[in-house]
Amino acid sequence: EIFGLGPTVNYAELVKQGATIVDVRSKGEYSDGHIKGSINIPVDTLSNSLNKLKGKDKPIITCCASGMRSAQAKNILKANGFLQVHNGGGWMSLQNKIS
């Protein structure tokens, strides 16, 4: 757990269960390509956009370009009471894990 090697997350299963994929890259980055069905909330506007997310008990997967901003987004969501937040890392590798 210390090294981030906690239980491995089955992202495909989370998506099947209705997880929301939140892409926290900029609008420009998002428009250049993203995971189908994901929603774009740039990390710098996330704290003010929490109302766009369904419920605090629903699974959420954050993603960005490399995993840095999505880790930040996960922390923001956790701090705001969201219970099931997973850092999916870079959106391209996440897409491979869920398809």
Side-chain angles (χ1 to χ4, degrees), residues 11-24:
Y11 293 103
E13 190 55 41
L14 282 173
V15 170
K16 275 192 200 123
Q17 293 169 8
T20 302
I21 298 172
V22 180
D23 190 319
V24 297

Side-chain angles (χ1 to χ4, degrees), residues 10-44:
N10 184 336
Y11 293 103
E13 190 55 41
L14 282 173
V15 170
K16 275 192 200 123
Q17 293 169 8
T20 302
I21 298 172
V22 180
D23 190 319
V24 297
R25 297 175 298 151
S26 70
K27 298 226 177 290
E29 288 174 288
Y30 185 79
S31 66
D32 287 341
H34 56 268
I35 295 172
K36 191 172 179 249
S38 64
I39 62 172
N40 180 221
I41 307 175
V43 72
D44 52 0

Side-chain angles (χ1 to χ4, degrees), residues 50-68:
L50 299 174
N51 60 337
K52 292 182 181 173
L53 301 170
K54 291 185 188 94
K56 293 195 174 189
D57 57 343
K58 302 264 188 273
I60 295 174
I61 303 169
T62 59
C63 66
C64 61
S66 67
M68 294 296 287

